[in-house]
Amino acid sequence: MAEITLVAHPGRTTGSRSSRRLRGAGQLPAVIYGHGTTPLAVAVDARELRGALTSAAGANTLLALQVGETTHLAMAKELQRHPVKGTLLHADFVIVRRDEVVGAEVSITLVGDAEAVHRGDGVVEQLAFSLAIRALPGNIPTTIEVDISELEIGDAIRVGDLDLPDGVEAEAEADQMIVVAQPPQATGLEEVAEAGATALEPEPGGDVAPAGG
């Protein structure tokens, strides 16, 4: 995975007032830390960071943060967003090495068509939408594809069933379910009809009383 270069300006003043001024100027307050480095308060271009994080790798994008004459290979560890607007407010970048295994959260994408399930009026229910993994930074997949084409009603796909790329290890338990093929569910009208039919069934040895009688 190739990294995306971002310029990180050191020496920013910390505090909520100065952070608001930075954001108003199109900059995002951030901090770089990790591997024994003293936490470094920086500012990055907010638009450039958003562009980097909307690449295929998303939040797992490798970043080459240029701080003066020094370049840090890093990943976004934590992104603080406005609770209503969803805009970025602050970013934490953790320094990584290409030969170091790191943790990441990767999205799960269902592929294929579960024809047997659909023919039986069943439903494919996705129970997990991301998976915690460990891998070298360059081996982190952009997504984990789960093939559901062979599913039949009653089947399930668990973490242990996943065909993960080489060098990628799941942190979740092997029996954690990712997808399950549910049988058809009775609709509200069907349930009412069944309940009515049950109410009209005669008691053993008796007759159903005529309506109005």
Side-chain angles (χ1 to χ4, degrees), residues 5 13 22 54 81 100 120 127 131 136-137 168 176 179-180 201:
T5 300
T13 304
L22 277 174
T54 53
R81 296 182 181 273
E100 171 191 49
L127 303 178
L131 182 68
L136 295 176
V168 176
Q176 178 181 325
V179 179
V180 62
E201 290 179 1

Side-chain angles (χ1 to χ4, degrees), residues 10 31 36 73-74 86 94 106 111 118 120 125 134 136 153 157 187 198 206 211:
V31 63
L73 184 65
V94 60
V106 180
V111 296
H118 299 320
E125 183 178 1
R134 292 187 63 78
L136 295 176
I153 291 176
I157 298 176
T187 65
T198 301

Side-chain angles (χ1 to χ4, degrees), residues 167-186:
V168 176
E169 177 185 349
E171 289 196 296
E173 296 293 333
D175 61 353
Q176 178 181 325
M177 287 200 295
I178 302 295
V179 179
V180 62
Q182 299 281 15
Q185 303 295 315

